Amino acid sequence: MTMPSSDPQGSPLKTGSDIATSLDAHLAQPAVILPTGPGRPSHRMPEGPELHLASQFVNEACRELVFGGCVEKSPVSRNPEVPFESSAYSISALARGKELRLTLSPLPGARPPREPLALVFRFGMTGSFQLVPSDALPPHAHLRFYTAPPGPRLALCFVDIRRFGRWDLGGEWQPGRGPCVLLEYEQFRENVLRNLADKTFDQPICEALLDQRFFNGIGNYLRAEILYRLRIPPFEKARTVLEALQQRRPVLPLPLLQSPELTLSQKIRAKLQNPDLLELCHSVPKEVVQLGGSWTPGTQRTLHLQTRPLQGHEGHREAFLNRLQPRCPRGPASTRTQKLPQSLTQGRGGGDQHPQAAAEPERPRLTPHPWSLRGP
């Protein structure tokens, strides 16, 4: 069989030495979209932006690669087998909300002749894609797609340490999920405002934001950032917050916004000065995508307990998204287990204690707030 020299769009396909030349470039891209150091999984659940970045990674890394053979599943995975085999096929990806569709498309002249196959992935808590040499597969690579010879053999792997990720055959998006907050903003906004009578909006706004029927792509750290920017109390009733958006007036009167005297930049500036909650559900994920996984462990955004709660909710320790300062290094272990002077333990019941118990002061314990639990 003759291998095709180009894909349907006419781009030359990499084989042999071309793949070897570009291998370092492919492997230099972050396999886990949010870098957390070599061999360490991301500490946060993938949300809409991470799925979108994963689709970008797959498309860029696999654009000029030819895959071939069977799709290999790990024996420990409970997900379905992927009944696909082709001598030459390409891989492309598309993300929507918290789902990613991977399409396997046989190339012209490939054997056996067959139709493309699509799989829809949900990443769970630790899912990601990695492109690696076939003889250096990462642990927990539960689905593997191998490149075709000649040249060094690579593997595109779906890696999922905790095994909560899922894939389904057929390529259909999961029923019931709403429009994507990133790619379908107008439909997303209309879907929310049209269904405010739904009982979901009887809940606090911090809970309603996790309902994927209306906020497809929003998760724990995104809702925290959105509510923090707008200074909305997280336990405010969702319908109360969102009903106001039905009557929301533009920052400038409509005739003035349509005036030819205003430049496009002035109109955009006026629109962005006071974004509402639904607009931030679209713009904040876009900010994360634009960052492109460039956060470093010392400054990346993360959830933590806020020490200054919002007015009216002083009794709660809500989790909000803030930008951390570089972490202060801890001292050597010897300074953390240093014994107290004997004079401080005598007469206080400390003399009979185990030396280690007397050495370490009691540490405060934080009780996780229910809102700190991650969403679906």
Side-chain angles (χ1 to χ4, degrees):
M1 183 195 70
T2 302
M3 294 290 292
S5 60
S6 63
D7 63 13
Q9 285 74 33
S11 301
L13 296 171
K14 288 187 177 181
T15 57
S17 60
D18 293 331
I19 295 180
T21 303
S22 61
L23 175 58
D24 292 340
H26 287 313
L27 298 183
Q29 300 189 35
V32 178
I33 300 303
L34 295 178
T36 53
R40 300 178 186 176
S42 173
H43 72 283
R44 93 179 91 187
M45 288 178 62
E47 301 180 13
E50 287 72 40
L51 272 290
H52 189 82
L53 286 168
S55 70
Q56 289 183 352
F57 168 75
V58 170
N59 288 331
E60 293 172 4
C62 302
R63 180 181 295 117
E64 298 178 336
L65 293 178
V66 179
F67 292 82
C70 299
V71 179
E72 189 174 274
K73 184 180 81 74
S74 74
V76 298
S77 174
R78 297 183 179 179
N79 285 300
E81 295 283 350
V82 179
F84 184 89
E85 181 177 4
S86 176
S87 59
Y89 66 94
S90 63
I91 293 180
S92 60
L94 174 67
R96 180 180 184 268
K98 288 190 177 183
E99 296 180 298
L100 182 147
R101 178 191 290 154
L102 206 67
T103 303
L104 316 180
S105 304
L107 299 177
R111 292 289 184 270
R114 61 162 303 142
E115 294 296 319
L117 176 69
L119 302 89
V120 172
F121 289 81
R122 287 175 289 279
F123 281 18
M125 298 184 70
T126 56
S128 67
F129 278 100
Q130 298 185 25
L131 183 67
V132 297
S134 61
D135 58 355
L137 297 177
H140 313 287
H142 296 299
L143 199 63
R144 304 180 280 270
F145 309 86
Y146 293 99
T147 57
R153 200 180 190 206
L154 309 180
L156 178 69
C157 304
F158 177 66
V159 181
D160 186 13
I161 296 175
R162 301 197 66 180
R163 285 191 276 172
F164 290 132
R166 295 289 181 267
W167 63 78
D168 295 320
L169 304 178
E172 297 295 330
W173 303 118
Q174 189 176 37
R177 287 185 178 263
C180 175
V181 297
L182 262 171
L183 303 179
E184 303 166 317
Y185 170 68
E186 294 298 336
Q187 299 94 311
F188 151 70
R189 186 181 184 93
E190 180 184 357
N191 183 48
V192 172
L193 296 181
R194 187 179 63 243
N195 292 287
L196 288 182
D198 191 274
K199 63 181 181 180
T200 296
F201 300 103
D202 293 332
Q203 303 178 66
I205 185 63
C206 66
E207 297 294 337
L209 282 172
L210 297 182
D211 194 321
Q212 301 301 293
R213 295 177 300 159
F214 303 106
F215 299 92
N216 187 11
I218 299 297
N220 198 37
Y221 83 86
L222 288 175
R223 67 166 176 178
E225 174 73 356
I226 292 164
L227 296 179
Y228 180 78
R229 289 190 185 186
L230 295 175
R231 300 302 193 268
I232 294 177
F235 301 102
E236 188 74 34
K237 189 176 180 180
R239 187 175 294 108
T240 302
V241 174
L242 295 169
E243 277 181 339
L245 304 187
Q246 293 178 317
Q247 309 297 328
R248 186 173 185 264
R249 297 179 179 179
V251 178
L252 296 178
L254 185 61
L256 187 56
L257 282 174
Q258 296 175 342
S259 171
E261 298 178 0
L262 287 180
T263 65
L264 179 61
S265 62
Q266 289 173 326
K267 295 179 181 179
I268 294 176
R269 189 180 304 113
K271 179 69 175 175
L272 296 179
Q273 280 177 347
N274 296 291
D276 62 34
L277 184 141
L278 297 181
E279 290 169 343
L280 285 183
C281 285
H282 172 66
S283 62
V284 172
K286 283 183 65 176
E287 291 178 24
V288 179
V289 171
Q290 290 167 358
L291 288 173
S294 61
W295 294 332
T296 59
T299 59
Q300 63 185 333
R301 294 170 182 260
T302 185
L303 282 169
H304 65 92
L305 294 174
Q306 178 176 284
T307 57
R308 297 187 300 278
L310 295 180
Q311 185 176 3
H313 290 269
E314 289 80 1
H316 299 282
R317 304 182 71 180
E318 291 87 5
F320 284 108
L321 183 67
N322 289 310
R323 189 178 293 278
L324 294 180
Q325 298 299 322
R327 298 185 180 95
C328 297
R330 293 188 178 186
S334 59
T335 62
R336 299 199 301 271
T337 59
Q338 184 178 3
K339 295 181 180 180
L340 293 175
Q342 185 176 3
S343 59
L344 295 181
T345 62
Q346 289 179 347
R348 300 173 62 180
D352 297 332
Q353 297 179 3
H354 190 279
Q356 184 72 14
E360 293 188 358
E362 183 180 356
R363 298 178 180 178
R365 296 183 178 180
L366 299 180
T367 301
H369 190 275
W371 193 32
S372 66
L373 299 177
R374 300 190 183 279

